[in-house]
Amino acid sequence: MIRKQRPTFTSSELEMQLQQINLDPTSSTTENLEALAPLIKSIQDTDSEQLYLRSLDKFVEEKEREIEKICQDNYEDFVSSVSTLLTIRQGSGHLRRRIGELDGQMGDVGRALGEKKRALLEQKKVARNMDDAIETLQTCLRLLDLVHRVGEMIREGKYWGALRSIEDLLHLTPPSISQTPFYAHILSSLPSLRLSIKDAVTASTKSWLFDVRESGAKVGKLALEQMSQRIKKWRAKREKEGGVRLARVGGAMELVHNERVEFDALDNEDIKVDFKPLYQCIHIYEALESKPELQRSYQVDRKTQATLILTSRLSTTPETLLSTLPLLMQELVGFFIIESHLLRTMPDFRTQRDVDELWDEMCKRIVEVVGQGLKGCSEPEVFLESKTNVLLFVQTLEGYDYNITELNGLLITLFERYSELLLRKFSTDFDQIVSEDDNQPMMVNDQEEFDQVAGVCWLAPGETESLAMQGFPQAMPFSQTYPMCCINIRNFVDQFYQFTDGVAQQHLDIDEVLRKSLDGLLSDHVSKQIAKRLQTMSNLSQIAQVVINLEHFSTACDELEGVLMNLRASQRGGPVHLSSCKQFSTTLEQAEKRIDSVINSKLESFFELAEYNWLPTRPQSTAAEPSTYVFEMITFLTAYVDSVLIGLNEGVKTRAYLNALGRINKWLMDMLCGKEVIRFNEMALASVLADVTFIEAEIRRLDKPDLDRVFDEVKHTINIILSDAVSAYMEPSIRSMSYSSVKPIRLAVILAKLGKAHALGGAQSSMAKAERRRREADEVAKLAGR
């Protein structure tokens, strides 16, 4: 417990206090010692004993004078006062002795107290020093603990807390150690601590980059699957609603349709990419004012990662492309989705230029990888699957605002090569179909087969219903070439548009490419191949089947034009015209001519059997009993054409009859006017006319009005001679009205030959007939010369 200090007094204060000392009026024998005690202590401390004694003497003298003055008026009081004064004197002496004793005691006590005071001050100084030392040590311990804690936070990954702790070392340090070597050492270690934090957070980011590369493929796979679902949904909607058929995925209409679907490839039920390590690293580097260094390092690392993704696929072959390309697309999609996320969330860290640099480089490398993988490939399916992967990649990253111009160029290149291979493949298929066709009607055994065939073939209106009414098994009007070609045409169109679905068309008119490709297939590998086979065909039934096939191909071309308009990939208007329609018409004409040629060759064999007696005495044949060759020829012609050409339409059959009968007419006229027969008489002409009449009678049974006037030339020519109507023929009006089919030059030749025949008779009548025929011949010949 600390003692209360006694008051001390100066010399002037001491003298004033002595003057104020009075005896207690209630007891003259009681001394006011309490007032004297501090006074005496002050006297001792200040060595003012003499002053005190002088003051005391002066006080006594004053009191004596006061007493004398009082005593003058009151003796008794004076005596009493003297008595009191004596008492006071005695007391003063006693007090003087006590003061001396107290002075000695107080001196001893003061000296002891001083010694204790000095010892106490020394102890307090030591205690203060110890307190300062303890506080300093505690401060150092706190600093060391903070430094240690920085290390622990670095190991625990609390880099920002570690950095804040280092800042605390700088700003929260007590001044007591600010100038110490220890603190200077601590300060000198701070750069290494910052470097440790920087290295640790960099290592954490490197680890994060590795994890991101591993998870990037899954991110890309999920994003591609989501885009694939969008494409399927939109394709179903396009098929359902024709008004949006031409709208593509990623267009305004599709985006509106898909706006309710929320999917984040980086944060979903299957995966969640945590960007905290990178954000923390960026924050630390910003605090360390080293952000540009991190940006450069990150760009290099990401470029290296992207290069590694592609490097492992540079040796891709057509056999391995379809297995490696999807994985490549998944990794790259994940890679650039992460880059897009960083560009959107940390625009001050990742710049558009950095990302574009990576993207442009990767686009070039993708083109290289795909080009290397497809080098020497001749399978359209590989190109189609490659296009599907690349297009899905393009459509996915287009939604993240990446520039897809170069990849669209890759798709166009793939399309051009794909269309070439597709055309080559189907060209071979069409050539094989045409060359292997037996040109016999295709047989279907039941309704299921019929439905399959009718479902793939383009048939004339009402033809399907007409065929369906027949029983089974039944022969279809066409051979297997037609349905197989129809299937191939449909497959070609489907495979063509499978590739073009979703492909940008700014640089290529896809519809025109398809039209030209189809024209080439149908013209060069169907129509011309059929025409080539026709040249070697002699079987009339096969030729007739070819005609039927060609008629159906013409129908198919007309129907196909409408199909192509409905499947139009672009919005360009106008009808679609296939030039192969004309090519099939040309080939059809060739087939019909081939029928004519085959029939004519058959007729030639009958012509060789003809044996006319050119100078008979009477006609050798009549309309009821024609020449043998004529009977056999007409029997063959009517039976052959009707049976073999039964599947042809009436127009074609009529044309075949017309050609055959025209050939007979020509042969008869050539025989009568040719050089082989030098002369003949009227009886021979009557036989020829009888044969013609028989032919006309048989033809009339066919009920074909178009064939009525085929033999007008030979019939009218002979009738002019047999009816002696040469003079009538010479009249222009009669000639133009009744004998327009008769050619003067031929009539003149026949008349001349008749004249030669009559000249052989020798008789006067014969010579007269001969002269008349020569004269008629000369007159008719003059008509030919006009």
Side-chain angles (χ1 to χ4, degrees):
M1 181 178 179
I2 301 175
R3 291 184 177 181
K4 185 178 181 182
Q5 295 184 354
R6 296 176 180 177
T8 57
F9 306 96
T10 62
S11 298
S12 58
E13 291 174 343
L14 184 59
E15 186 175 357
M16 184 179 296
Q17 290 181 7
L18 289 173
Q19 292 177 358
Q20 293 176 352
I21 295 176
N22 293 313
L23 296 174
D24 187 351
T26 60
S27 177
S28 60
T29 61
T30 303
E31 298 176 343
N32 193 1
L33 297 178
E34 292 181 0
L36 288 175
L39 181 61
I40 293 173
K41 180 64 173 66
S42 297
I43 291 173
Q44 184 180 10
D45 291 340
T46 60
D47 296 329
S48 304
E49 293 85 353
Q50 295 300 321
L51 176 60
Y52 168 72
L53 292 176
R54 285 195 299 274
S55 299
L56 186 58
D57 289 340
K58 185 176 179 180
F59 175 73
V60 172
E61 289 177 358
E62 289 178 355
K63 292 300 180 181
E64 287 178 351
R65 282 195 295 274
E66 289 179 0
I67 292 172
E68 287 178 359
K69 183 177 179 179
I70 294 171
C71 287
Q72 287 178 3
D73 298 327
N74 191 342
Y75 180 73
E76 292 179 358
D77 293 335
F78 174 73
V79 173
S80 178
S81 298
V82 169
S83 179
T84 302
L85 183 59
L86 289 175
T87 303
I88 291 172
R89 180 172 289 182
Q90 291 176 355
S92 299
H94 178 70
L95 182 60
R96 191 174 286 178
R97 288 193 295 279
R98 286 290 298 161
I99 290 172
E101 292 174 359
L102 289 171
D103 180 60
Q105 293 175 359
M106 292 299 293
D108 294 338
V109 171
R111 284 190 292 275
L113 185 61
E115 292 296 330
K116 291 181 179 179
K117 183 68 174 178
R118 282 192 292 274
L120 180 60
L121 292 174
E122 287 296 328
Q123 291 296 326
K124 287 183 176 181
K125 184 176 180 181
V126 171
R128 285 196 300 272
N129 290 338
M130 290 180 66
D131 290 340
D132 292 342
I134 291 172
E135 183 180 355
T136 300
L137 288 174
Q138 289 178 339
T139 301
C140 292
L141 287 174
R142 285 196 297 273
L143 290 178
L144 290 174
D145 182 67
L146 195 57
V147 171
H148 178 71
R149 181 60 183 155
V150 168
E152 289 184 348
M153 285 191 287
I154 292 174
R155 287 189 291 274
E156 294 172 358
K158 300 177 181 178
Y159 306 115
W160 179 246
L163 196 61
R164 290 291 301 273
S165 296
I166 291 177
E167 297 301 319
D168 291 343
L169 289 174
L170 289 173
H171 301 296
L172 303 179
T173 304
S176 57
I177 64 168
S178 60
Q179 303 299 323
T180 62
F182 171 78
Y183 185 63
H185 176 71
I186 292 294
L187 291 181
S188 66
S189 68
L190 295 185
S192 63
L193 287 176
R194 290 193 183 93
L195 184 59
S196 298
I197 294 173
K198 183 178 179 182
D199 292 341
V201 76
T202 301
S204 173
T205 303
K206 297 286 186 182
S207 176
W208 177 83
L209 282 171
F210 179 79
D211 294 339
V212 161
R213 181 189 172 189
E214 294 296 316
S215 60
K218 188 169 185 179
V219 171
K221 181 180 179 181
L222 293 172
L224 290 170
E225 289 176 350
Q226 177 65 17
M227 177 55 67
S228 180
Q229 291 297 322
R230 280 180 62 183
I231 292 172
K232 290 179 180 178
K233 288 171 59 179
W234 188 242
R235 186 177 290 123
K237 184 174 179 64
R238 286 190 307 176
E239 293 174 356
K240 183 178 179 181
E241 303 177 17
V244 297
R245 185 177 59 82
L246 298 178
R248 67 182 185 87
V249 173
M253 293 181 67
E254 193 275 336
L255 289 176
V256 172
H257 176 72
N258 193 61
E259 63 182 357
R260 294 188 185 134
V261 180
E262 295 182 2
F263 177 78
D264 187 352
L266 299 172
D267 187 2
N268 51 70
E269 295 178 355
D270 298 312
I271 192 172
K272 181 178 178 62
V273 179
D274 184 11
F275 289 87
K276 181 180 177 182
L278 179 61
Y279 293 155
Q280 182 175 244
C281 183
I282 295 172
H283 200 28
I284 295 298
Y285 268 77
E286 282 181 341
L288 296 175
E289 298 180 352
S290 301
K291 185 177 175 181
E293 177 186 347
L294 177 63
Q295 288 176 301
R296 290 190 297 270
S297 173
Y298 183 86
Q299 178 73 355
V300 171
D301 290 340
R302 291 296 277 171
K303 187 173 182 179
T304 301
Q305 284 188 343
T307 303
L308 288 174
I309 292 174
L310 289 165
T311 301
S312 59
R313 277 88 175 186
L314 288 178
S315 58
T316 303
T317 63
E319 291 75 19
T320 61
L321 181 64
L322 295 185
S323 60
T324 59
L325 191 57
L327 299 177
L328 173 63
M329 297 294 100
Q330 290 174 13
E331 292 188 39
L332 290 177
V333 166
F335 181 92
F336 284 105
I337 286 178
I338 291 172
E339 287 301 306
S340 176
H341 177 80
L342 286 177
L343 184 61
R344 186 175 65 256
T345 57
M346 299 292 291
D348 55 340
F349 174 70
R350 291 297 279 160
T351 64
Q352 187 68 52
R353 179 180 178 182
D354 292 338
V355 178
D356 288 345
E357 179 183 341
L358 281 176
W359 172 252
D360 293 341
E361 181 65 24
M362 289 308 101
C363 286
K364 295 178 182 177
R365 301 294 293 277
I366 290 171
V367 173
E368 292 177 5
V369 169
V370 175
Q372 179 66 28
L374 293 174
K375 187 176 181 180
C377 179
S378 59
E379 295 296 328
E381 292 78 9
V382 177
F383 279 84
L384 181 60
E385 188 65 24
S386 300
K387 165 262 173 181
T388 301
N389 286 287
V390 174
L391 179 60
L392 191 59
F393 175 81
V394 169
Q395 290 175 323
T396 301
L397 291 182
E398 184 181 16
Y400 292 88
D401 297 328
Y402 284 99
N403 185 354
I404 59 172
T405 302
E406 187 161 358
L407 294 180
N408 277 336
L410 171 61
L411 289 172
I412 296 300
T413 302
L414 290 178
F415 168 73
E416 291 173 345
R417 292 186 59 187
Y418 171 81
S419 60
E420 292 174 1
L421 292 175
L422 197 65
L423 190 60
R424 188 184 308 168
K425 174 180 179 295
F426 278 90
S427 297
T428 303
D429 292 344
F430 279 119
D431 289 343
Q432 184 176 1
I433 290 171
V434 174
S435 63
E436 294 179 355
D437 187 24
D438 58 3
N439 289 308
Q440 296 297 325
M442 182 180 183
M443 299 297 298
V444 292
N445 299 313
D446 51 38
Q447 187 66 42
E448 182 179 357
E449 288 186 20
F450 176 82
D451 292 339
Q452 290 177 351
V453 173
V456 298
C457 294
W458 286 285
L459 301 176
E463 186 176 4
T464 302
E465 293 76 7
S466 176
L467 292 173
M469 295 175 64
Q470 302 178 20
F472 297 102
Q474 69 164 301
M476 301 298 283
F478 40 76
S479 68
Q480 65 179 1
T481 293
Y482 182 63
M484 291 181 68
C485 286
C486 287
I487 292 173
N488 269 13
I489 291 171
R490 293 180 186 274
N491 289 339
F492 179 81
V493 174
D494 288 343
Q495 291 182 36
F496 190 93
Y497 277 119
Q498 280 180 17
F499 194 102
T500 60
D501 186 19
V503 177
Q505 303 172 39
Q506 293 87 346
H507 308 295
L508 190 64
D509 188 345
I510 290 175
D511 301 302
E512 182 62 17
V513 173
L514 175 59
R515 188 194 65 78
K516 290 181 178 179
S517 299
L518 274 176
D519 264 338
L521 286 173
L522 295 174
S523 297
D524 298 335
H525 300 280
V526 178
S527 181
K528 290 183 179 179
Q529 287 297 319
I530 292 175
K532 185 177 180 181
R533 286 199 66 187
L534 276 173
Q535 295 175 2
T536 59
M537 282 186 186
S538 58
N539 187 313
L540 195 59
S541 64
Q542 290 183 328
I543 300 172
Q545 186 63 64
V546 169
V547 171
I548 296 173
N549 289 347
L550 289 170
E551 289 174 343
H552 281 82
F553 275 116
S554 296
T555 300
C557 285
D558 295 336
E559 295 293 328
L560 191 56
E561 288 176 347
V563 171
L564 294 180
M565 286 189 64
N566 293 330
L567 293 176
R568 192 187 297 274
S570 66
Q571 298 183 6
R572 297 178 179 87
V576 175
H577 294 293
L578 292 174
S579 60
S580 52
C581 293
K582 294 181 179 179
Q583 182 62 46
F584 278 115
S585 297
T586 302
T587 305
L588 180 59
E589 292 177 2
Q590 294 177 11
E592 293 174 351
K593 289 179 179 179
R594 185 59 183 165
I595 291 176
D596 296 342
S597 176
V598 171
I599 293 176
N600 289 342
S601 66
K602 296 289 185 182
L603 294 177
E604 292 295 334
S605 63
F606 289 103
F607 295 153
E608 292 175 358
L609 299 177
E611 293 182 356
Y612 281 104
N613 182 0
W614 296 109
L615 298 173
T617 57
R618 62 182 181 83
Q620 291 182 314
S621 59
T622 64
E625 295 182 2
S627 301
T628 302
Y629 89 95
V630 170
F631 179 81
E632 292 178 353
M633 182 172 62
I634 296 304
T635 301
F636 156 78
L637 183 62
T638 55
Y640 194 62
V641 171
D642 284 341
S643 61
V644 176
L645 305 183
I646 188 171
L648 298 180
N649 60 58
E650 289 300 318
V652 176
K653 287 193 289 185
T654 299
R655 183 186 182 283
Y657 274 115
L658 188 63
N659 171 77
L661 297 176
R663 179 70 185 93
I664 295 173
N665 176 77
K666 182 178 184 300
W667 180 80
L668 291 172
M669 291 300 300
D670 289 345
M671 181 179 62
L672 295 175
C673 301
K675 296 180 180 181
E676 292 183 2
V677 181
I678 300 175
R679 58 182 67 84
F680 46 75
N681 59 23
E682 284 79 358
M683 295 300 102
L685 291 179
S687 296
V688 173
L689 182 60
D691 289 341
V692 171
T693 303
F694 172 78
I695 294 173
E696 287 187 324
E698 293 297 316
I699 294 302
R700 277 195 292 271
R701 294 178 183 178
L702 300 176
D703 193 22
K704 295 183 182 298
D706 295 336
L707 304 179
D708 290 344
R709 305 182 66 83
V710 176
F711 291 98
D712 280 0
E713 182 181 10
V714 64
K715 184 173 64 174
H716 290 166
T717 301
I718 295 175
N719 279 331
I720 290 173
I721 296 172
L722 296 181
S723 61
D724 289 330
V726 176
S727 59
Y729 177 77
M730 297 299 294
E731 293 292 332
S733 59
I734 298 176
R735 185 173 62 249
S736 63
M737 181 178 297
S738 301
Y739 305 111
S740 60
S741 60
V742 178
K743 296 180 175 57
I745 188 63
R746 291 191 172 188
L747 178 59
V749 170
I750 294 173
L751 290 171
K753 289 184 177 182
L754 287 172
K756 291 179 181 180
H758 286 297
L760 291 177
Q764 185 176 1
S765 59
S766 296
M767 296 303 293
K769 290 180 180 179
E771 181 62 27
R772 182 168 65 88
R773 292 302 185 191
R774 282 195 293 269
R775 186 172 60 252
E776 291 174 342
D778 292 339
E779 291 177 355
V780 173
K782 291 178 181 179
L783 292 177
R786 291 179 182 178

